[in-house]
Amino acid sequence: MATRTPDTEARISALLERMTLEEKVSLMAGRDFWTLPAIERLGIPSLRVSDGPTGLRSVNSEAATVFPVGVALAATWNETLVAEVGAAIAREAIAHEVDVLLAPAVNIQRTPLGGRNFETYSEDPRLAAEIATAYVAGVQSEGVGTSLKHYAANNQEHERMTGSSDMSERTLREIYLAVYEPVIRRANPWTVMGAYNKVNGVFACENEFLLEQVLKGEWGYDGVVVSDWGATKTTAEAANHGMDLEMPGPARHFGAKLVEAVRNGDVSQAVVDDHARRLLRLIIRCGLLDGNPKSARGELCSARHRACARDAAGQSMVLLKNEGGLLPVSKNVRRVAVIGQPAYMPAIQGGGSSQVSPDRIVSPLEGLKAALGSDVELIFERGLDHEPAPPQIDWRLLSPDETFTQHGLTARYYAKPGCAGPVAHEEIDWHFSKLGFGGKVQTEDDLSFSVEWTGYFRPEQDGDYDFVISHSNEDVELSIGNEILVGQGTPSERELLFMILPLNRREARMRMQAGRTYPIRIRYSQPTERAIRAFNIFNISMRPPAPSRAAAIAAARAADMVLLFVGSGTTDETEGRDRRSMKLSAGQDDFVREVVAANPGTAVIVNTGAPVEMPWAGDVPAILQMWLPGGEGGSALEDLLSGKVSPSGKLPVTFPHHYEDNPTYPFYPGHKSAEYGEGIFVGYRYYDKAGRDVLFPFGHGLTYSRFEISDLQVSVSPSAQDVEVSLNLTNTGAVEAAETVQLYLEDRATREAMPPRQLKAFRKTSLKPGETARLTFVLVREDFAWFDMHAGAWVVSPGKYAVHAGVSSRDLRQAAEFELHS
Ligand code: BGC
């Protein structure tokens, strides 16, 4: 990893001396959506970026390993593991010839309804910063850059492109900027992405306070600030206030307008030199001036990447409740009812720019079949259609030929519209949710292409099937049997994807017979005039006939135990739209009650990326939060439910009883101004201060074992610069498991309003039964600091403090008091 060294800086200076103003400015905007321009005269190649953070999102919808989403990675509380995930994603990025991964997303989960909460880490800046530091370090250890995003206070999708996040400087610094600073200082992400929103009235991408004063000034950041896609709004303001790179390209506000602004004196040469220097530093860091040595390390969808995704998913799942040790599934159980659509078609990730084309999806049902073995009878019933919108077409009902030995359809790509002429590329395709495709046959000058998918569709139920096609141009045809279901004449509706991309949506319905094999053909043509390179969109969704609720209840009744899957659906948690509600959709709450009434031995498994209300939580013996676990989630469930691995995930976010309990309730969403009226009292900081009961507290998560914390010792160093905390952790249960000890600081010294306790350190430790580990933590001066608005500075109050050690924010087992002198 090339860092900032005198050699690098001298090399950059030499290059800058040879560059014209136009060349320097050309580096400051994309060539297209995903690349920077090359400067061939100087041997500077083009740099390529692509989205994360859930895996590498190929801009051509090619497969990559899907890892658990951000909130799930945070729920592992395991930095070593997250660094391994980062390194694996980097190797996948290299295989896709990507130099900078647009990840991680670290914004604080302020409101439980935030549309992108799944993608980000936590309500707590310390946990989020530790996880992000590990992720960034992991990615960059392989020579791929990261983009810490979205800087800053980008906490809701409502008024996504125009809203202002308004708050006091103390709140901004202690909560929202506190996520970024440690990552910048310790892991130095090679880029930082400026957010769409304003902060205190000024767009983040031209916000002098955020970019110049804090990021580049106070924190000494030497990397590149890139605008979120389309977030650069001005020329001189953005360039003068710290924006280094306008994306996507070609330039709208930089480019010729910026050259002009330099010529007429609105932007100085020195400012442009600084931006260009940072971009050259990035290009060198990515190895592009040195033959791109990282290119040898590419690795895609390998066994070790899948194993890493499985381990991460397993360590992320949170056992919220387990009365009577219902889980793992007992060896005495003979008949298990698996109920709920997510067991068959799980939500593995959220929607939007982070959406990876999976290499495979191991469903919970497949994982459970493996976990339970052939001695146990497994009955599966979908029970209820919980999807708010139709999910992606079920690839298991598709086959390229009538044998159904393979899933998917044959895709034939043509270099011209109209699906005629020679086939330019052929493959078997099964994932029909595409954000950018056709790149294999498009050329630099001709973006037109067409594709025809053919094969067979075999429904499993009698009844009406609803098909929805949404796509970025007009020319689409779907035929099933001999009928053209969607064609030129089918009325289309316009919709906006992620609040920015216009799509056409067409619907059709067909009555079908279970077990019959229908030929299916889909054609899509992309004329060059309307093509966007690598951002053309194509989705086919399908809603099957409603399942039988009565059959599900009967299955529950007849089984020894029930594994009941509930969730938010495969399309409901997405960039571009906040969640409508914290309640489960489609009457799932009533359904849970019905199933539990039929069989009290029911474990509920929750497939969401954010907290949901669980009004039935008191009535069910076991609850497992499985998050959006990536492509290997089913295998992770196999590990946990068979008892091979003990759950060890912990909540990175509080689960309140009711949406109305959360501290942003009186303020969210705001309109053009989102007033952060709860101030620093976000998440558990508020619930603890208000003494409010919650459903499951921050940091909570059970294992299959039991742990004790003992012998807490605190020693303050003579200089009062740091405080050492040590304790014993003992596994007092019967199985090997990992517990995460959490240290919360109580500040009794400061007179200003303070949260009762704040997380300052944590450690996940795996122990065998009867084993004890002595854990030592060091709290440093910054851990005691708060932002004094009168002084305009971070201060440490002299006086009394207490440190609490626990296994959740509300299960504190030991405490010790100490004093800090100034
Ligand atoms: C998202 C970013 C993403 C970018 C490029 C934006 O709409 O907010 O997270 O990196 O698009 O896809």
Side-chain angles (χ1 to χ4, degrees):
M1 174 171 95
T3 47
R4 188 176 173 178
T5 62
D7 280 359
T8 321
E9 296 309 300
R11 208 170 163 193
I12 297 171
S13 300
L15 273 170
L16 282 175
E17 265 169 40
R18 296 172 60 202
M19 285 167 83
T20 63
L21 172 65
E22 283 77 4
E23 284 170 335
K24 292 174 190 167
V25 167
S26 77
L27 284 182
M28 293 177 59
R31 174 174 69 178
D32 53 31
F33 248 75
W34 309 113
T35 64
L36 266 52
I39 306 180
E40 272 155 31
R41 185 180 77 84
L42 300 171
I44 300 174
S46 165
L47 180 146
R48 178 177 292 277
V49 304
S50 201
D51 272 310
T54 308
L56 189 278
R57 179 166 78 77
S58 146
V59 299
N60 202 25
S61 293
E62 283 159 32
T65 308
V66 188
F67 290 84
V69 296
V71 69
L73 288 186
T76 67
W77 295 59
N78 185 338
E79 302 103 304
T80 312
L81 176 63
V82 172
E84 282 165 19
V85 169
I89 297 176
R91 290 188 293 269
E92 302 228 338
I94 296 169
H96 281 277
E97 297 178 359
V98 165
D99 304 300
V100 174
L101 183 78
L102 303 173
V106 298
N107 292 108
I108 290 291
Q109 295 187 24
R110 174 179 172 247
T111 159
L113 300 185
R116 293 184 89 166
N117 282 6
F118 71 86
E119 207 178 327
T120 73
Y121 294 133
S122 175
E123 68 189 23
D124 179 79
R126 175 57 58 105
L127 175 61
E130 296 294 331
I131 298 297
T133 300
Y135 185 100
V136 168
V139 174
Q140 294 190 170
S141 71
E142 293 288 6
V144 172
T146 52
S147 198
L148 194 67
K149 68 188 189 183
H150 308 83
Y151 185 72
N154 179 244
N155 311 101
Q156 63 187 45
E157 294 298 271
H158 180 81
E159 296 293 349
R160 166 175 201 210
M161 319 296 283
T162 48
S164 180
S165 304
D166 295 336
M167 69 197 88
S168 72
E169 188 175 349
R170 179 174 178 205
T171 299
L172 183 60
R173 288 197 181 254
E174 287 189 21
I175 303 291
Y176 297 96
L177 298 186
V179 191
Y180 290 90
E181 182 178 357
V183 194
I184 301 286
R185 290 197 195 273
R186 285 160 44 200
N188 196 21
W190 297 345
T191 80
V192 167
M193 189 187 290
Y196 284 126
N197 52 284
K198 298 174 186 166
V199 174
N200 289 332
V202 182
F203 277 113
C205 286
E206 56 190 53
N207 192 311
E208 192 172 18
F209 170 78
L210 288 180
L211 302 182
E212 282 296 328
Q213 186 182 322
V214 176
L215 176 65
K216 294 183 178 178
E218 293 172 26
W219 302 344
Y221 182 59
D222 71 2
V224 165
V225 178
V226 49
S227 70
D228 199 342
W229 268 226
T232 304
K233 300 254 190 331
T234 49
T235 305
E237 283 91 331
N240 285 333
H241 294 165
M243 180 50 60
D244 299 307
L245 173 60
E246 176 189 8
M247 282 304 273
R252 288 178 60 210
H253 297 283
F254 285 5
K257 285 189 188 159
L258 183 53
V259 171
E260 176 68 27
V262 176
R263 297 247 152 84
N264 67 26
D266 290 342
V267 176
S268 71
Q269 278 280 359
V271 162
V272 169
D273 280 355
D274 179 64
H275 293 307
R277 173 173 289 278
R278 288 166 182 271
L279 281 148
L280 290 171
R281 198 178 283 139
L282 172 66
I283 290 165
I284 292 174
R285 283 175 167 160
C286 291
L288 297 186
L289 296 193
D290 301 297
N292 197 7
K294 68 175 180 295
S295 59
R297 292 198 288 274
E299 184 178 323
L300 199 57
C301 306
S302 58
R304 80 163 161 159
H305 288 182
R306 285 176 175 172
C308 177
R310 176 179 187 157
D311 187 16
Q315 291 205 35
S316 76
M317 294 183 188
V318 183
L319 185 59
L320 295 172
K321 184 173 179 187
N322 196 20
E323 267 172 25
L326 185 67
L327 297 178
V329 176
S330 149
K331 301 272 175 270
N332 302 325
V333 164
R334 293 276 67 93
R335 188 188 275 174
V336 175
V338 177
I339 299 176
Q341 174 82 358
Y344 174 73
M345 181 77 95
I348 63 163
Q349 59 182 330
S353 57
S354 69
Q355 188 185 305
V356 176
S357 287
D359 64 319
R360 66 173 190 179
I361 298 175
V362 182
S363 72
L365 198 53
E366 289 167 83
L368 290 169
K369 282 182 184 152
L372 300 175
S374 53
D375 295 349
V376 179
E377 187 188 348
L378 188 154
I379 318 159
F380 171 63
E381 287 291 339
R382 281 167 58 213
L384 191 85
D385 183 351
H386 72 302
E387 294 275 7
Q392 192 211 148
I393 191 166
D394 182 357
W395 61 96
R396 290 155 291 196
L397 306 185
L398 298 170
S399 172
D401 56 42
E402 284 177 279
T403 64
F404 276 80
T405 45
Q406 267 192 89
H407 297 313
L409 299 174
T410 304
R412 291 193 184 88
Y413 283 83
Y414 302 84
K416 292 275 166 228
C419 298
V423 175
H425 173 75
E426 184 171 320
E427 65 186 17
I428 303 293
D429 196 1
W430 63 277
H431 198 257
F432 294 94
S433 175
K434 297 181 189 297
L435 270 184
F437 68 116
K440 281 212 174 98
V441 298
Q442 289 172 307
T443 61
E444 205 52 46
D445 326 304
D446 183 0
L447 297 183
S448 68
F449 73 98
S450 56
V451 54
E452 180 180 69
W453 289 275
T454 54
Y456 295 87
F457 181 83
R458 191 162 67 193
E460 283 179 341
Q461 288 165 270
D462 286 336
D464 285 338
Y465 282 73
D466 288 333
F467 295 88
V468 180
I469 301 199
S470 44
H471 50 98
S472 35
N473 74 25
E474 291 296 318
D475 202 356
V476 165
E477 189 184 280
L478 162 71
S479 59
I480 301 187
N482 296 321
E483 226 183 298
I484 296 184
L485 287 185
V486 170
Q488 288 294 350
T490 316
S492 81
E493 273 175 41
R494 293 287 269 181
E495 66 180 13
L496 265 191
L497 187 70
F498 319 142
M499 253 188 240
I500 33 182
L501 301 166
L503 293 187
N504 296 303
R505 175 190 162 93
R506 291 187 162 92
E507 295 184 6
R509 170 169 287 186
M510 187 168 171
R511 177 153 292 234
M512 298 183 127
Q513 279 170 20
R516 201 179 134 188
T517 300
Y518 298 79
I520 178 168
R521 190 185 70 202
I522 305 149
R523 283 180 165 169
Y524 173 92
S525 262
Q526 171 88 48
T528 220
E529 318 79 76
R530 284 195 293 273
I532 307 177
R533 179 178 296 281
F535 226 43
N536 47 329
I537 290 172
F538 187 74
N539 295 314
I540 312 180
S541 315
M542 183 200 78
R543 193 187 285 285
S548 162
R549 196 171 174 125
I553 301 300
R557 225 174 257 128
D560 299 333
M561 78 173 289
V562 179
L563 298 170
L564 171 58
F565 287 78
V566 296
S568 46
T570 49
T571 59
D572 210 41
E573 293 183 55
T574 181
E575 175 178 336
R577 185 184 68 221
D578 285 339
R579 290 197 298 157
R580 283 165 280 241
S581 149
M582 233 184 87
K583 293 189 196 311
L584 284 171
S585 57
Q588 290 180 86
D589 289 333
D590 287 344
F591 185 58
V592 174
R593 288 202 182 93
E594 248 179 272
V595 172
V596 179
N599 190 331
T602 293
V604 180
I605 297 156
V606 185
N607 180 205
T608 66
V612 286
E613 292 179 9
M614 302 182 193
W616 35 262
D619 307 330
V620 304
I623 308 172
L624 181 72
Q625 177 68 31
M626 82 179 247
W627 306 114
L628 310 178
E632 305 300 313
S635 303
L637 273 177
E638 172 190 337
D639 298 338
L640 300 189
L641 297 185
S642 65
K644 198 158 83 189
V645 174
S646 168
S648 63
K650 297 271 180 183
L651 292 182
V653 58
T654 307
F655 279 38
H657 286 287
H658 308 287
Y659 170 65
E660 294 75 11
D661 296 344
N662 100 80
T664 67
Y665 176 63
F667 310 106
Y668 169 83
H671 291 289
K672 292 287 175 206
S673 160
E675 187 59 45
Y676 283 35
E678 72 287 355
I680 57 173
F681 297 100
V682 177
Y684 69 87
R685 286 168 168 76
Y686 163 78
Y687 297 112
D688 288 351
K689 176 156 172 285
R692 201 177 266 265
D693 189 38
V694 297
L695 179 58
F696 297 111
F698 175 84
H700 171 71
L702 305 173
T703 68
Y704 292 151
S705 195
R706 280 190 315 278
F707 287 84
E708 261 171 28
I709 294 175
S710 58
D711 195 20
L712 176 76
Q713 305 280 347
V714 173
S715 78
V716 181
S717 71
S719 61
Q721 286 310 306
D722 44 55
V723 175
E724 195 180 278
V725 181
S726 58
L727 51 83
N728 283 342
L729 176 71
T730 306
N731 182 344
T732 56
V735 294
E736 182 171 354
E739 179 56 278
T740 302
V741 173
Q742 302 156 38
L743 289 193
Y744 292 88
L745 183 73
E746 179 188 344
D747 177 340
R748 298 179 185 164
T750 302
R751 270 169 227 239
E752 298 272 334
M754 276 289 161
R757 287 171 298 279
Q758 305 194 69
L759 181 75
K760 293 295 170 183
F762 58 88
R763 182 118 8 103
K764 185 169 192 168
T765 312
S766 184
L767 294 175
K768 296 200 164 53
E771 208 182 340
T772 296
R774 182 93 193 143
L775 306 180
T776 303
F777 304 85
V778 177
L779 302 182
V780 297
R781 200 79 188 158
E782 290 81 59
D783 290 323
F784 302 96
W786 62 282
F787 193 79
D788 182 344
M789 300 252 285
H790 303 294
W794 290 95
V795 293
V796 175
S797 312
K800 288 207 167 81
Y801 293 81
V803 65
H804 300 260
V807 295
S808 93
S809 62
R810 294 246 170 128
D811 188 355
L812 303 170
R813 305 279 180 83
Q814 293 232 306
E817 200 181 86
F818 57 93
E819 213 164 322
L820 282 186
H821 304 288
S822 47

